[in-house]
Amino acid sequence: MTQVLELSRLIDRTLGALADVLGTDGAALMLVDDHDRLRAIGGSDDHGRRLELIQEQIGSGPAIESLARGEDVTVDDLRAARPLGFPGVAARVSEVRAVLSVPLRTEEQLIGTLNFYDRMSHEWQPAKVRAGERLGELMVMVLQTLANRSPISGQS
């Protein structure tokens, strides 16, 4: 159990570093489970973890849409009416306003989403979206490295 907690903390710290690099208030991670559903894995802070848990619970949000479409989803303000926002998510996580959700892939398989967020609403600039995509590729490499070294996977 201690190793699982250490792995969780490492993922959360990695997400914090990715948010810092992109210049956002936070980052969070959702991965596809064995039943092809997105599951909240971690976040750089409580707001990120809550954002992911809410999306998992209600089955809606930028991460869910990003995975379904297999492409980036930018939301300038979660509170906006659909199709531009996700007011159902915003009602449950009022601290988050703008979200960039990037699908994560290993080769051609979608494995989850990396989600960056800010507390203030704003338009996501193309350069920042591209940088988020590159950070998503980095997150996939981190996850692959952790999976290969994890005691859970049977390797060390």
Side-chain angles (χ1 to χ4, degrees), residues 5 13 15 41 43 55 69 78 86 100 116 123 134:
L5 286 174
R13 284 194 308 268
L15 292 167
I41 300 302
Q55 292 182 87
R69 293 179 5 195
L78 278 176
F86 291 88
L100 165 62
F116 296 98
E123 183 178 337
R134 300 295 82 79

Side-chain angles (χ1 to χ4, degrees):
M1 186 60 122
T2 302
Q3 293 169 335
V4 172
L5 286 174
E6 289 175 18
L7 188 61
S8 177
R9 287 185 189 125
L10 179 60
I11 288 172
D12 289 349
R13 284 194 308 268
T14 301
L15 292 167
L18 294 177
D20 288 346
V21 168
L22 194 60
T24 59
D25 290 328
L29 176 67
M30 296 185 85
L31 294 177
V32 176
D33 69 9
D34 293 337
H35 303 287
D36 293 326
R37 291 180 295 216
L38 274 177
R39 297 295 182 198
I41 300 302
S44 57
D45 60 22
D46 289 339
H47 303 306
R49 287 184 285 277
R50 183 154 175 74
L51 173 67
E52 305 306 54
L53 286 171
I54 294 303
Q55 292 182 87
E56 181 181 323
Q57 289 170 1
I58 67 175
S60 177
I64 307 294
E65 189 168 314
S66 178
L67 187 73
R69 293 179 5 195
E71 60 188 40
D72 303 333
V73 170
T74 59
V75 179
D76 298 342
D77 190 342
L78 278 176
R79 295 180 187 170
R82 291 291 299 142
L84 301 175
F86 291 88
V89 173
R92 293 175 176 92
V93 61
S94 61
E95 304 85 359
V96 174
R97 294 290 295 270
V99 179
L100 165 62
S101 186
V102 176
L104 301 178
R105 290 181 173 81
T106 57
E107 296 170 23
E108 291 303 312
Q109 182 179 1
L110 286 170
I111 63 165
T113 60
L114 175 61
N115 305 286
F116 296 98
Y117 55 90
D118 285 315
R119 291 179 183 93
M120 302 293 292
S121 61
H122 65 81
E123 183 178 337
W124 291 94
Q125 299 302 312
K128 201 163 194 172
V129 172
R130 284 191 302 277
E133 291 169 348
R134 300 295 82 79
L135 292 172
E137 293 168 3
L138 179 61
M139 188 71 218
V140 169
M141 288 186 263
V142 168
L143 292 170
Q144 289 171 327
T145 300
L146 291 174
N148 290 334
R149 300 177 63 132
S150 171
I152 297 169
S153 69
Q155 299 177 7
S156 58

